[in-house]
Amino acid sequence: MRKLNKFHFKKVMIERLSNFKVTDRQSFIEFIELLHEDYRKDRKSWQNKDLDHFLEAIGRYANDIQGYYDNTNKNVNADQPSWQVFADILKGSKIYE
């Protein structure tokens, strides 16, 4: 199996995280594993690299996520919690300032 260089890994990981559909508890677990792999292998791309900053970003992004859905024309009501909304909050929190 061919080892991916950093640039290719980053491109593939961004695509996988962006397109990953979380529909139930099991797919949420798989998403968390994928997010963890991204952190381990490409920590430099994360704005919030430590737990303190990541937790702070989770709170802020959870507050603002409806704006993300509205701005990207996604028909999602963030006030109706789902596994996908939780995954989107965690995914967004890696780079949210």
Side-chain angles (χ1 to χ4, degrees):
M1 186 171 179
R2 189 176 133 234
K3 187 174 180 178
L4 298 176
N5 66 37
K6 275 199 169 222
F7 174 77
H8 188 68
F9 170 82
K10 191 174 193 173
K11 183 178 176 185
V12 168
M13 186 57 73
I14 288 169
E15 189 174 310
R16 286 176 68 196
L17 283 170
S18 296
N19 296 321
F20 197 94
K21 299 295 180 217
V22 179
T23 57
D24 54 20
R25 188 173 62 88
Q26 185 58 45
S27 59
F28 182 76
I29 292 166
E30 292 168 16
F31 170 80
I32 293 296
E33 291 169 351
L34 186 62
L35 193 65
H36 187 209
E37 178 184 2
D38 179 58
Y39 178 76
R40 283 191 336 261
K41 293 185 176 176
D42 192 25
R43 191 172 304 198
K44 291 180 182 178
S45 72
W46 285 55
Q47 177 69 30
N48 301 299
K49 294 175 178 64
D50 62 46
L51 185 59
D52 182 50
H53 290 105
F54 188 66
L55 290 173
E56 183 180 358
I58 289 172
R60 288 193 322 268
Y61 198 69
N63 187 55
D64 294 343
I65 196 166
Q66 189 62 56
Y68 162 75
Y69 290 139
D70 294 345
N71 291 334
T72 56
N73 296 317
K74 296 185 185 226
N75 188 25
V76 177
N77 179 352
D79 290 328
Q80 295 179 342
S82 70
W83 290 108
Q84 185 64 57
V85 170
F86 295 137
D88 289 343
I89 290 169
L90 293 175
K91 180 173 42 180
S93 297
K94 83 175 216 176
I95 58 168
Y96 196 74
E97 295 183 28

